[in-house]
C-alpha cells in the first residue's frame, strides 16, 4: 500500500470512541445515517485536517493543523465522519457529520492507492473557495501536524469541487496553485490602489 496513514494522537482517537459510545452524542448528532446504522461503528483512516487560510498572489501561505478527521465505518462503508480539535486541555471530540465529502474521501483514497509513489494522506481545506482536497504529501515519514504542500505533492479535489475544478482529478500542487491563487486573490476595484 503506497499510502502511509499516520497514527492519530491517542487522545483524539479516545475522544471519538467515547463519543461513539455516548447515546447523547449520537442523539444530538445531525447524522441520520450514523443514528440508523446497524452494528458497531468504528473510527478508521485518521487523517490530519489542515486549513489553508490565505492564498496570496505569490502562492500559498502556511497551513495549520485544525484537527483530525476519522471516517466512521458501519459494516462495509463509511456512514459519517468525526472531527476532533486541539483544546487547551488536549485533543477533544468536536462533532459528527455526514454528506458528500464522506464518499468522496473514500473514492479519493482508493484513487491514491493506485499511485506508485508512497504518500502520506492528509486533508487540506481551502475555506475561501469552499474546497476540500485529499492532500498526498510526498514525505511519507513527515510529522503529520507540520508542513505545507510542496510543489510535487498531489491534491485530489473532493466532490463537490468549486466550479471549473474537476473533482477526483489529481493535480500536482504546482499545477493547481495558479488556479487557486487566481480564484482566491481579490481583484482590485477600479480607482483603488493596487
Amino acid at each position: 500500500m503506497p499510502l502511509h496513514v499516520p497514527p492519530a494522537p491517542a487522545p483524539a482517537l479516545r475522544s471519538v470512541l467515547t463519543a461513539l459510545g455516548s447515546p447523547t452524542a449520537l442523539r444530538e448528532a445531525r447524522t441520520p445515517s450514523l443514528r440508523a446504522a446497524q452494528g458497531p461503528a468504528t473510527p478508521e483512516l485518521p487523517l490530519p485536517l489542515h486549513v489553508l487560510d490565505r492564498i496570496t498572489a505569490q502562492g500559498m501561505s502556511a497551513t495549520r493543523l485544525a484537527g483530525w478527521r476519522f471516517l466512521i465505518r458501519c459494516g462495509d462503508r463509511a456512514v459519517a465522519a468525526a472531527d476532533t480539535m486541539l483544546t487547551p486541555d488536549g485533543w477533544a471530540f468536536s462533532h459528527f457529520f455526514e454528506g458528500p465529502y464522506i464518499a468522496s474521501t473514500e473514492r479519493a483514497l482508493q484513487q491514491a492507492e493506485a499511485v506508485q509513489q508512497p504518500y502520506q494522506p492528509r486533508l487540506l481545506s481551502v475555506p475561501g473557495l469552499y474546497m476540500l482536497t485529499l492532500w498526498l504529501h510526498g514525505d511519507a515519514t513527515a510529522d503529520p501536524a507540520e508542513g505545507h504542500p510542496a510543489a510535487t505533492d498531489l491534491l485530489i479535489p473532493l466532490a463537490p469541487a468549486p466550479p471549473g475544478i474537476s473533482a477526483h482529478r489529481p493535480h500536482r500542487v504546482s499545477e493547481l496553485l495558479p488556479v487557486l491563487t487566481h480564484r482566491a486573490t481579490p481583484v482590485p476595484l477600479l480607482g483603488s490602489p493596487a
Side-chain angles (χ1 to χ4, degrees):
M1 175 166 98
L3 293 182
H4 296 274
V5 179
L13 176 58
R14 276 195 306 271
S15 73
V16 171
L17 289 170
T18 299
L20 282 170
S22 165
T24 303
L26 291 175
R27 190 172 44 252
E28 292 178 0
R30 294 187 179 117
T31 53
S33 297
L34 184 57
R35 287 194 309 260
Q38 300 295 318
T42 56
E44 296 182 355
L45 291 169
L47 296 172
L49 175 60
H50 291 260
V51 175
L52 179 62
D53 289 318
R54 265 185 346 152
I55 301 175
T56 66
Q58 293 76 34
M60 292 186 181
S61 64
T63 63
R64 64 178 168 83
L65 180 66
W68 283 80
R69 179 167 293 169
F70 297 79
L71 293 180
I72 306 299
R73 185 168 300 282
C74 288
D76 64 345
R77 67 184 188 95
V79 296
D83 277 358
T84 62
M85 62 183 181
L86 191 58
T87 69
D89 295 326
W91 288 101
F93 170 75
S94 174
H95 62 281
F96 291 115
F97 68 95
E98 62 184 50
Y101 285 136
I102 307 301
S104 189
T105 300
E106 280 192 307
R107 179 177 169 191
L109 286 165
Q110 289 170 352
Q111 283 180 270
E113 291 277 347
V115 177
Q116 297 303 313
Q117 180 179 341
Y119 285 105
Q120 182 186 87
R122 302 172 174 193
L123 292 171
L124 180 64
S125 173
V126 187
L129 297 176
Y130 301 100
M131 180 177 180
L132 184 64
T133 69
L134 179 65
W135 167 17
L136 300 176
H137 190 50
D139 183 356
T141 61
D143 180 347
E146 301 292 326
H148 62 279
T152 56
D153 287 354
L154 292 178
L155 297 176
I156 302 175
L158 301 182
I165 296 176
S166 298
H168 296 287
R169 181 174 171 260
H171 301 270
R172 293 231 175 263
V173 168
S174 59
E175 297 167 356
L176 191 56
L177 182 59
V179 175
L180 299 180
T181 302
H182 176 72
R183 290 191 170 208
T185 305
V187 177
L189 298 174
L190 289 175
S192 65

